[in-house]
Amino acid sequence: MLKKGIDRMSASAWTERAVTVLETIEQAGRTRALRALRVLDGRTALRDDRVVLLCASNNYLGLAHHPRVRAAAQGALETHGLGSTGSRMTTGHSALHEQLEIALAKHRGTDAALLFNTGYMANLAVMTTFAREGDVLFSDELNHASLIDGCRMSRARVVVYRHGDVSDLEEKLRVTPVSGLRIIVTDGVFSMDGDLAPLADLVRLKRAWNALLIVDDAHATGVLGPRGEGTAAHFGMAAHEIDLHVGTLSKALGSEGGYVAGAQTLIAWLRQAARPFMFSTALSPAVIAGAHAALHIAADESERRERMHSRARELRMALQARGFAASQGITPIIPVRIGDAGAALALSAHLDQMGVFAPAIRPPSVPEGTSRIRLTVTADHTREDVETVANAFASFASR
Ligand SMILES: *Cc1c(COP(=O)(O)O)cnc(C)c1O
């Protein structure tokens, strides 16, 4: 009886806390509603039985629905079943996983690569495996949440430098006492702004300070470089200039999963010690086979990448011509800065009415006062789609 009473009491205390948290989020205007979509291809989705123009997905090359990708996944599903049945250390490791790792390393130009279940987990793995107590992590202030969480989970001290600011980083490297080793960590392409890290300078600094340089290329994989190798290739740098490249299968490769590519010894260390690798069930063979097919298409069919880049240029120009603060840049991520969260939501709702799906991005995903519509383009978008989007923005301004 007593136990039952205690349970009920603790349950109500937790309910009270939950309600308080939810109310705080609500009052800050930050409640998120999940909206169910059925993505049809790289440019459209079905929402409430209505076809909308999708301008927010990370499916940059339109590969999630590619016939060869689907066929590869279906084939693996038939021969291997759905689940991988275990961790890579036990029963979950298959020839498909092994072959994809070899292909990913080859594509990047590194010795080796290791798969993780998500890019998020790959980042947690890298930060918690390599950084120790006494080490210092130098982290760009706009790094992805998974890198921030990885920094927090590591035992190292974290020093945040101003976004893309090489002199600030240089200064911080100079004044920060370090008993262990240094790590510099950055997004290659920043997820909310679509701009690039100053890689050549970061390589110079990492050499000068004997630091490990980690580049999260989630948005550069398949997108930048002649064959979609990533940010280093875009800058004409050899892959080994960067110690660890984090990539994802979940964006331009249209599948799921993350990976880390680098020198044999570092990858071996991850394979032996990274907890997100060891203590989670391996990715489904179907997901792996689909990603492998997508990797070939992404590498070989550069016309897809060119189409995506053309659409991105056209959309930037079309929005700027209509007076919108569309970012400069070279990636398919085109944030249109609005500032106020309410205004960004109103614009997003208007776009929605015009059949354009582009959610508002607001705090805590981006800093206060920088709410925006984050547009993305894919290889599947057409020139007419670009006009449709730009006109939907214009009709909001003149409403
Ligand atoms: C999306 C993203 C990730 C996470 O990758 P998932 O495979 O979706 O978990 C990591 N880093 C950056 C910069 C990202 O944009």
Side-chain angles (χ1 to χ4, degrees):
M1 271 322 272
L2 182 64
K3 187 156 186 293
K4 217 170 157 194
I6 290 170
D7 280 348
R8 197 174 303 129
M9 246 170 64
S10 61
S12 74
W14 283 105
T15 307
E16 219 168 87
R17 192 188 280 187
V19 168
T20 309
V21 169
L22 289 171
E23 277 174 1
T24 311
I25 295 172
E26 179 75 44
Q27 275 156 16
R30 290 186 181 183
T31 302
R32 313 293 182 102
L34 301 181
R35 298 193 276 185
L37 279 182
R38 182 147 75 82
V39 177
L40 299 171
D41 51 33
R43 56 178 288 274
T44 55
L46 206 56
R47 180 153 154 248
D48 305 331
D49 298 326
R50 194 164 64 106
V51 176
V52 291
L53 189 56
L54 196 58
C55 299
S57 90
N58 297 320
N59 181 22
Y60 300 119
L61 298 175
L63 296 182
H65 297 71
H66 192 288
R68 268 171 24 226
V69 172
R70 286 190 296 181
Q74 275 163 358
L77 184 63
E78 290 310 315
T79 51
H80 289 70
L82 178 57
S84 74
T85 78
S87 151
R88 294 282 297 284
M89 320 291 278
T90 61
T91 59
H93 180 61
S94 75
L96 294 178
H97 294 78
E98 203 163 294
Q99 285 154 10
L100 179 56
E101 284 176 343
I102 293 168
L104 287 167
K106 187 158 172 248
H107 180 243
R108 273 279 165 189
T110 60
D111 292 350
L114 190 66
L115 286 164
F116 290 87
N117 289 359
T118 64
Y120 190 107
M121 285 168 77
N123 278 335
L124 294 191
V126 165
M127 309 309 279
T128 54
T129 303
F130 294 112
R132 297 184 179 164
E133 205 167 330
D135 294 345
V136 179
L137 283 154
F138 295 88
S139 171
D140 188 290
E141 68 178 329
L142 292 190
N143 276 347
H144 188 260
S146 54
L147 287 176
I148 296 172
D149 294 354
C151 284
R152 287 186 187 143
M153 282 174 72
S154 82
R155 306 264 162 94
R157 178 170 166 208
V158 182
V159 172
V160 175
Y161 62 90
R162 280 201 298 275
H163 176 52
D165 189 333
V166 177
S167 11
D168 188 44
L169 171 59
E170 201 157 9
E171 175 67 12
K172 285 178 166 141
L173 280 162
R174 212 165 50 72
V175 302
T176 309
V178 179
S179 61
L181 295 171
R182 294 170 180 81
I183 297 176
I184 301 172
V185 59
T186 183
D187 282 13
V189 170
F190 287 86
S191 52
M192 292 299 141
D193 291 77
D195 57 338
L196 272 55
L199 272 202
D201 282 320
L202 297 184
V203 167
R204 176 174 60 78
L205 289 179
K206 82 127 197 164
R207 286 218 190 98
W209 293 91
N210 197 18
L212 189 79
L213 177 58
I214 301 168
V215 176
D216 177 356
D217 255 351
H219 291 282
T221 308
V223 171
L224 294 183
R227 304 185 76 235
E229 305 93 321
T231 311
H234 167 78
F235 285 121
M237 297 161 66
H240 67 80
E241 304 265 29
I242 282 73
D243 297 292
L244 292 164
H245 308 255
V246 179
T248 179
L249 312 177
S250 64
K251 289 173 175 146
L253 298 183
S255 181
E256 276 183 20
Y259 69 94
V260 183
Q264 195 69 59
T265 329
L266 294 180
I267 299 304
W269 184 1
L270 279 173
R271 199 183 292 116
Q272 296 306 321
R275 295 169 66 85
F277 176 76
M278 300 167 84
F279 298 109
S280 191
T281 300
L283 285 167
S284 163
V287 157
I288 294 290
H292 202 147
L295 180 66
H296 283 304
I297 300 169
D300 297 342
E301 297 182 11
S302 56
E303 61 277 10
R304 278 180 178 274
R305 207 165 5 264
E306 280 153 25
R307 220 161 47 231
M308 168 199 72
H309 284 305
S310 300
R311 291 298 99 78
R313 267 193 304 277
E314 291 157 11
L315 183 55
R316 281 192 169 87
M317 276 164 51
L319 287 165
Q320 285 159 2
R322 288 162 178 82
F324 282 90
S327 72
Q328 301 293 338
I330 57 152
T331 67
I333 302 171
I334 309 175
V336 183
R337 268 282 180 110
I338 305 299
D340 177 63
L345 281 173
L347 173 51
S348 173
H350 172 79
L351 293 174
D352 191 51
Q353 275 175 1
M354 306 294 288
V356 172
F357 186 82
I361 309 284
R362 54 208 162 107
S365 303
V366 293
E368 200 67 56
T370 72
S371 289
R372 65 199 68 183
I373 305 291
R374 177 182 176 277
L375 296 171
T376 60
V377 297
T378 76
D380 284 355
H381 283 126
T382 64
R383 285 222 174 86
E384 295 76 69
D385 293 340
V386 167
E387 287 304 304
T388 304
V389 176
N391 288 335
F393 271 80
S395 67
F396 178 75
S398 65
R399 138 203 78 120

